[in-house]
Amino acid sequence: MTTLVPTVALNNGVAMPQLGFGVFQVPDAETTAAVATALELGYRSIDTAAIYGNERGVGRAIAESGIRRDELFITSKVWNTDQGYDETLRAFDASVEKLGLEQLDLDLIHWPTPRNGRFLDTWRALERLYADGRVRAIGVSNFEPAHLAAVLEAGTVVPAVNQVELHPALQNRAVVAANTAAGVATEAWSPLAQGAVLADPAITAIAEAHGRTPAQVVLRWHLQQGRVVIPKSVTPARIAENLDVFGFELDAAELSAIDALERDGRTGPHPDEFHG
C-alpha cells in the first residue's frame, strides 16, 4: 500500500512531505524495523537527529528499502554540544556517514541553547553546507521568535522550517505567527502531545462523528492548518493509522473546538531554558 502524502513547498522551492515518520526515543536496534514498516506503508519522510542515536538504524532501513533516494526526504539535526561553525561541519559529516547518504534533505539546529550563544555560528555552517549542495534545505528547531529574528538578521538564508512542540494543548501561536511572517514552514513535533490530548471529550466526540481515532483527528487538525507533522510509533498498526488521515476533513466548527484546547500544556522543555 502506498499513500500519496501531499507536500508543502518550502521557501526555496523544495517539496517536503506534509506527514513524515519520527524516530525520537526509538532505540537504534528497533529503528530499522520501524522505519522499514513506515516506508512499506507509504511514508517517504523520515525525521531523525544525531542525539537520537539511531541514524544508523534509519540508514539501514533506507538501504534495504530499495526506494530511490530522490523519492525520500531525510531530516537530521545538529545537537547542542556540536554547535559552532567547525563543530557543525563535523557533525554533519558524522550524520551522513551514519545514514549512509551523500546529501540530507533537511538539517536543523536542534535547540537554540541561547546561553551558549553559538547558534549563529552553527547557522553559518548550515548555510555553507547548503551552498555546497550537501543539504537541500536548512532550518531550525525549537526556536522562539527572538531566536528566529536573530537568524533572520545575521544570516543570508531564511530558514526553511522551524520544528517546534505543537499540539492542541500547546499551539505555540506566537511562534507560528513569526514563522508565517518570515516564510518559514512550521513543523510539529509531539503532534499528539504524547497521547495527552487523545482522551479530551472534544476530540473523542469529533473522532466518533467521523468514525476515526482521536489520533487521526488531531493529525487532520494539523494538516488542515498547513503544518508538517511527524508522528512517532513503533507499532505497525499505529504507524498505518497515522498515515490514514487523507480520506476525511474537519469542518470549521470542529477545527475551532480543537483550537479551544490550548492550555500551555508543554510536554518538553522551554527553549529559553534548555541548555542540555
Side-chain angles (χ1 to χ4, degrees), residues 4 71 95 126 130 138 145 190 206 228 245 249 267 269 276:
L4 194 60
E71 292 180 20
S95 283
L126 289 186
Y130 178 62
I138 55 176
S190 196
I206 295 167
V228 178
V245 290
E249 197 153 316
T267 66

Side-chain angles (χ1 to χ4, degrees), residues 32-47:
T32 302
V35 173
T37 297
L39 293 173
E40 282 167 25
L41 288 167
Y43 289 83
R44 289 297 177 264
S45 175
I46 309 296
D47 179 276

Side-chain angles (χ1 to χ4, degrees), residues 16 24 30 63 150 158 167 229 251 272:
M16 180 178 187
F24 175 54
E30 294 176 37
V158 175
H167 45 74
V229 286
D251 64 27
D272 281 332

Side-chain angles (χ1 to χ4, degrees), residues 88-99:
T88 295
L89 296 178
R90 283 196 294 271
F92 181 90
D93 287 341
S95 283
V96 291
E97 187 273 323
K98 288 173 185 168
L99 287 160

Side-chain angles (χ1 to χ4, degrees), residues 3-10 13-20 44-45 70-73 136 185 223 226-228 246:
T3 303
L4 194 60
V5 174
T7 58
V8 169
L10 301 179
V14 167
M16 180 178 187
Q18 197 181 359
L19 189 147
R44 289 297 177 264
S45 175
D70 62 4
E71 292 180 20
L72 297 171
F73 192 99
R136 296 174 65 224
L223 294 168
R227 288 191 285 275
V228 178
F246 301 103

Side-chain angles (χ1 to χ4, degrees), residues 10-198:
L10 301 179
N11 57 21
N12 65 351
V14 167
M16 180 178 187
Q18 197 181 359
L19 189 147
F21 184 69
V23 294
F24 175 54
Q25 293 180 326
V26 181
D28 191 64
E30 294 176 37
T31 295
T32 302
V35 173
T37 297
L39 293 173
E40 282 167 25
L41 288 167
Y43 289 83
R44 289 297 177 264
S45 175
I46 309 296
D47 179 276
T48 184
I51 194 64
Y52 298 171
N54 56 21
E55 288 172 312
R56 290 196 191 281
V58 171
R60 284 192 295 271
I62 292 169
E64 293 165 9
S65 72
I67 297 168
R68 279 180 18 201
R69 177 65 185 92
D70 62 4
E71 292 180 20
L72 297 171
F73 192 99
I74 310 300
T75 300
S76 195
K77 309 179 194 80
V78 181
W79 185 241
N80 304 343
T81 51
D82 291 322
Q83 286 208 29
Y85 186 82
D86 292 331
E87 295 89 338
T88 295
L89 296 178
R90 283 196 294 271
F92 181 90
D93 287 341
S95 283
V96 291
E97 187 273 323
K98 288 173 185 168
L99 287 160
L101 303 176
E102 293 182 8
Q103 182 189 57
L104 283 180
D105 296 286
L106 179 63
D107 203 17
L108 307 175
I109 303 176
H110 206 148
W111 289 87
T113 55
R115 191 191 299 158
N116 299 343
R118 298 165 80 190
F119 69 77
L120 293 179
D121 289 332
T122 304
W123 185 250
R124 233 171 12 97
L126 289 186
E127 290 189 335
R128 158 89 180 273
L129 292 162
Y130 178 62
D132 289 347
R134 301 195 66 201
V135 58
R136 296 174 65 224
I138 55 176
V140 296
S141 181
N142 302 300
F143 271 47
E144 291 289 296
H147 310 139
L148 182 63
V151 170
L152 293 171
E153 186 177 344
T156 60
V157 177
V158 175
V161 169
N162 186 8
Q163 183 187 118
V164 296
E165 180 179 355
L166 204 160
H167 45 74
L170 180 80
Q171 295 176 34
N172 243 325
R173 289 170 181 161
V175 171
V176 172
N179 291 346
T180 302
V184 177
T186 299
E187 181 175 14
W189 67 257
S190 196
L192 305 174
Q194 300 178 12
V197 296
L198 300 184

